[in-house]
Amino acid sequence: MQNSTSFKPEYITIPLIVIVSIVSLLTLFTGHGSMQETVSFILTIALLSFLASDLKKGSFGKRSPHAAYKYVLLVFLFSFLTLM
């Protein structure tokens, strides 16, 4: 038998969190980022971290409305950010 590791979805979200964090820090240190970009980077990092934790726990199979509140809140924050 072959010893192969199985694919885990959090292997995608964790590097994306690192990439978005690096881009956010670079734009802040160079002075090219606006306040709206900073908030959108922070919201993107929060969304990716929520996805990574939910994928790791396997809570997407459950039908709990409590788990969906954080995503609904993030959607409202992103939409409010686009109105600014």
Side-chain angles (χ1 to χ4, degrees), residues 3-5 7-8 11 13 15 17 24-25 33 39-40 42 44 49 51 58 60 65 67 79-80:
N3 291 334
S4 62
T5 60
F7 175 73
K8 295 182 180 177
Y11 290 160
T13 55
I17 292 170
S24 174
L25 288 174
V39 171
S40 68
I42 291 170
T44 305
S49 64
L51 281 173
F60 281 116
S79 63
F80 178 71

Side-chain angles (χ1 to χ4, degrees), residues 21-35:
S21 300
I22 290 171
V23 169
S24 174
L25 288 174
L26 287 175
T27 57
L28 285 175
F29 286 139
T30 58
H32 293 296
S34 66
M35 198 63 184

Side-chain angles (χ1 to χ4, degrees), residues 45-72:
I45 291 169
L47 175 67
L48 288 172
S49 64
F50 287 152
L51 281 173
S53 67
D54 284 345
L55 286 172
K56 191 175 280 190
K57 287 189 274 184
S59 63
F60 281 116
K62 302 172 186 168
R63 298 269 182 192
S64 171
H66 180 67
Y69 287 143
K70 58 188 165 194
Y71 296 109
V72 171

